Amino acid sequence: MSRNPLVDLDSPDFLDQFRRSIDEFDSARLPHEPLSRESLRKLVDLGIYLPAIPREYGGRESHQEMCEVIEIMSERNLPMGMYTMIVTVLFLRNVAAGGDDALKEEVFDDFANNPVIGGLAFTEPGSGSNLARMETTYHDDGDTFRITGTKHWQAFSEQADWWIICAKHPERKEFAYFAHKRSDGGFVTTEVYDSLGLKNLGYGLNTLDLRVPRHYRLTKTREGLGDAAEILCASRFSKAAMASGFLRRLSTESLRQVSGRKIGDGTLHDIDYVRYKVNRIQQNYVVCNALYRQLMLAENYYTDLENSMFASLATKVLASELMLESAIDYQQLCGGEGYRKGAPDNIAAYALLDARVYTVFDGTNDLLCQHLANLFLRRFQQSGLRSPLEFIGRFGYLEDAFFDLTDINLSPIADAPSQDRTVILGRILSRIYGISALQKSSRSAAPSARLAVDDADYPKAIAVLKNEIVGLVNECELAARLVGTQTAPGALRPHGTTVTFDSKVGMRQ
């Protein structure tokens, strides 16, 4: 295998060269359709896959660069950020983690040198978010494994050259994961979906009747769907990188829109509520920037992420909801032109369509919120502590938010968690995680100048999340009334209903 000269560049030079060379992939220019091989060739030549390829196989092997490339692509084009994540974080990462040496040699040589795509085939028409109900099965067939079934909502359904396929044993509750090369046959796209957004990814329905060599089976050791959960942790974490890039762009473009829109003797920016909405988008970016810095500095795609389940769920829920909220506000600020696909001065229509799916894919946020709350409640009960706030102060992922929460009463939620309130509790916890990430970021230098934010924005962003927590705490009481759950009147009201901020709150020593 010839050595790619990009491997020898230092990280700032590699990333700067990549960032300066992708103008043609901007969402205002690139057609909203599956990427052509010619365009993919350009990205491969820029080294888009190299951070996900181990050094011994000719790659750069860098967690932080994997994050950076996804974030950079997401700022230019959100669907292309997802594109990059699927191939690197979901496909190449899992070949590196569980592939046989011969499989690694074949896969990494192909991706380092050719415009090829790798995808993940997990979901099925009849199982939804419940992977345990999948009907795709694998059979030991001597020198090969035979895999039969149906999969859908696979990105790159018609385009992917390689797949990682999850299938179950026909008689035992065992799940296995297999690489498959499309040119070997048996993976057939029978329908192409007309998805509402992310048009560049090409979703569809696929039937499988294929055989793979024995060494194409990935080494996975957890019982049940434990390995699938770990794989999805990586995907959910990646939403921080996509949200950071996407919201940086929306923050810049929303300010440009309102500053340039003439209203009488002034501009749209002179209207107080308009400035408030622009600032909300900016603070949402600050939150997602902090989530992204946590991903870069506290996690590692090259390690097992099972123990980071709580953080990955909180990241996905919060980042995706702030993306959608900001896309809606951006479209409103663009006015009628914001509803026009291909508008000459904004990307609002596609930004909203593309952002909408993030609260649904990788598990709907309502389901993930329930899982997030259950993880918290289980650990809280095991701690032996009586106050959930006291436990938050000792829980590593949340402890930095403790002093920002002392005026909010969370006890009734934890004391009697009905199903409806459990979902809302998960949403609250995602905001608490966001505050904790903001506090950490406020006390450390940005990994690069591009990711630096104004120190004055941290207390504002914390105030935004606190205000959302107050609303969600009160929503628990409303939910109890609407579904008939017995709740003491006013039990869930916070001690203070007004959230304020000052210049010191984000800079505590």
Side-chain angles (χ1 to χ4, degrees), residues 218-234:
L218 302 184
T219 301
K220 300 290 184 181
T221 59
R222 293 180 178 87
E223 295 182 357
L225 285 162
D227 290 303
E230 194 278 337
I231 289 170
L232 291 174
C233 277

Side-chain angles (χ1 to χ4, degrees), residues 10-11 14-15 51 60 62-70:
D10 63 25
S11 190
F14 170 74
L15 293 169
R60 294 183 59 86
S62 170
H63 162 74
Q64 290 197 13
E65 288 180 4
M66 288 172 72
C67 295
E68 290 272 51
V69 169
I70 294 168

Side-chain angles (χ1 to χ4, degrees), residues 352-393:
L352 180 55
L353 292 174
D354 292 334
R356 180 65 187 90
V357 75
Y358 280 74
T359 63
V360 178
F361 278 12
D362 280 349
T364 66
N365 279 12
D366 289 345
L367 288 174
L368 299 188
C369 282
Q370 186 170 349
H371 189 16
L372 181 63
N374 286 333
L375 287 175
F376 173 83
L377 292 171
R378 187 181 309 124
R379 296 186 187 187
F380 171 49
Q381 291 161 3
Q382 292 171 347
S383 72
L385 299 172
R386 298 184 62 184
S387 164
L389 182 60
E390 183 181 1
F391 175 66
I392 285 170

